[in-house]
Amino acid sequence: MTLPNGLTVEAARAEAERAYALDREHVFHSWSAQKQLTPMTITAAQGCYVWDGDGNRLLDFSSQLVNTNIGHQHPKVVAAVQEQAAKLCTVAPQHANAARSEAARLIAERTPGELNRIFFTNGGADAIEHAVRMARLHTGRPKVLSRYRSYHGGTETAINLTGDPRRWPNDRGASGVVHFYGPFLYRSQFYSRNETEETQRALAHLEQTIALEGPETIAAIVLESVPGTAGIMVPPPGYLAGVRELCDRHGIVFIADEVMSGFGRTGKWFAIEHFDVVPDLITFAKGVNSGYVPLGGVAIAPHIAASFDERAYPGGLTYSGHPLATAAAVATITAMAEEGIVDNAADIGARVLGPGLRELAERHPSIGEVRGLGVFWALELVRDKATREPLAPYGGTSPAMTELAAACRAAGLLLFVNYNRLHVVPPCTIAEAEAKEGLAILDEALAVADRHTAAA
Ligand SMILES: Cc1ncc(COP(=O)(O)O)c(C=O)c1O
């Protein structure tokens, strides 16, 4: 038997064994205690599936790190990278280049409003770094506001903007970031009973935070349009419009972080389109080329770009708009448009994943809440539906969550797991049958979580 990349299972197993041994000897991994790691080796991938070192096929409901929106090994993107490699592998950022120019045009065409200038970075965190730098220089103000329960990246400014425990060891209290509570009705900070109250109270809290911090000291508010890693909390109606209004009132730059939510994930090109709001800057990465080659960037509104018409923008990267990465973006965006992939994400979410996950919630005592859009869903797992006690503590894990993730994997399903949550985030290309296959595996595996609930 051979894998989709032509390797026999035996050859893949031998490759995987060597890769694993060398990994354990030489590779230093992100966010981890190195000695506790037993990484899964992936030897092949195709569409919505990956193969592990033992030749097992797994349905990839994680899209790796929620980035392979177009699925694995899309032939048009693979061909575009190969063709670009043969044509021109690299150019310095100061030169113009066909792949970069075309990628910028295709992205600008899809951003809301007039965000039609694109600054390219190597990934999401550096996109955030640059967006904040632009906002600070544009306004001449130092502070940046972001929400608790957020993730914005691993570099200095980005990790300090982040509202999750990964910030704590990196935060020396001098980053100029102030955190506030965003809307999250299921665990409302505002004792809200419905979305209308949550919107009003979260906006009143933000307004108060701005007033007490001093509006003239605040350069930007940075928000994921739909917070991803922190729990896929879709903002209630009116919230983002209210943030836009507060920004306008105080001359604050509104930065929408679409690194995870952009490029089809929510069933629209950008998640902020669901809310009819135009931010001043959008950060993107991941789905822009599905991570086939590292790429990120900032889409910039004209009034901010104009700040740097006559004075130099003090920032740059050797690989800004790298030809291989931007050629992959051109092919990804073109294929997504031609093949209706964004519409597929919307359709699968509305017709299969949303109803399917809600139906699981009716039968499984461990599911406290289901929330999401498109192919961007979270299951909030609890010990007790009445008290909403999480199945793992904030910032930690638990035997229940570890056993559940292992049960899913043993049955052939790869998920994104964070604290007490499972994220169902397959590629935007997923077919109905594949979505149902994943739901069926999840249904069986959730019995493991149910055993850890008060109902058991
Ligand atoms: C919303 C958001 N912003 C920024 C980042 C950082 O992106 P990167 O890991 O490419 O630096 C991420 C990564 O998951 C993200 O989800």
Side-chain angles (χ1 to χ4, degrees), residues 123-125 128 151-153 224 229 257 259-260 285-286:
I128 287 285
Y151 182 70
H152 294 290
E224 294 168 80
T229 306
D257 184 350
V259 168
M260 191 177 275
K286 298 188 188 266

Side-chain angles (χ1 to χ4, degrees), residues 334-385:
T334 306
M336 287 181 92
E338 284 171 0
E339 296 170 21
I341 290 172
V342 179
D343 290 342
N344 184 66
D347 176 54
I348 291 287
R351 229 168 23 80
V352 186
L353 287 179
L357 292 170
R358 287 192 195 101
E359 195 269 327
L360 292 185
E362 281 169 23
R363 287 188 288 106
H364 289 281
S366 54
I367 302 181
E369 188 179 53
V370 173
R371 46 180 187 263
L373 281 168
V375 287
F376 203 32
W377 292 88
L379 299 183
E380 179 97 18
L381 301 179
V382 292
R383 267 184 219 293
D384 186 328
K385 283 200 198 220

Side-chain angles (χ1 to χ4, degrees), residues 31 65-66 121-128 150-155 158 162 166 222-230 257-261 283-286 294-296 376 416:
W31 308 118
L65 260 183
V66 203
T121 63
N122 301 331
D126 44 346
I128 287 285
S150 64
Y151 182 70
H152 294 290
T155 55
T162 288
R166 283 174 289 180
V222 184
L223 280 174
E224 294 168 80
S225 305
V226 175
T229 306
D257 184 350
E258 293 259 1
V259 168
M260 191 177 275
S261 60
T283 53
F284 63 85
K286 298 188 188 266
L295 183 67
F376 203 32
F416 181 101

Side-chain angles (χ1 to χ4, degrees), residues 211-331:
L212 295 177
E213 286 297 328
E216 65 287 353
T217 69
I218 301 167
I221 297 176
V222 184
L223 280 174
E224 294 168 80
S225 305
V226 175
T229 306
I232 316 187
M233 298 85 82
V234 180
Y239 179 73
L240 291 178
V243 174
R244 172 76 273 179
E245 192 279 316
L246 285 169
C247 287
D248 288 342
R249 201 189 313 161
H250 297 294
I252 296 169
V253 174
F254 185 176
I255 302 174
D257 184 350
E258 293 259 1
V259 168
M260 191 177 275
S261 60
F263 291 94
R265 177 77 22 215
T266 68
K268 297 213 184 258
W269 284 100
F270 291 98
I272 201 147
E273 292 171 54
H274 289 282
F275 309 100
D276 248 338
V277 168
V278 180
D280 300 304
L281 298 170
I282 289 181
T283 53
F284 63 85
K286 298 188 188 266
V288 64
N289 67 4
S290 280
Y292 282 40
V293 185
L295 183 67
V298 187
I300 311 165
H303 66 286
I304 300 200
S307 277
F308 306 103
D309 279 349
E310 302 304 333
R311 69 168 157 163
Y313 173 64
L317 312 83
T318 299
Y319 305 131
S320 178
H322 191 280
L324 294 182
T326 47
V330 170

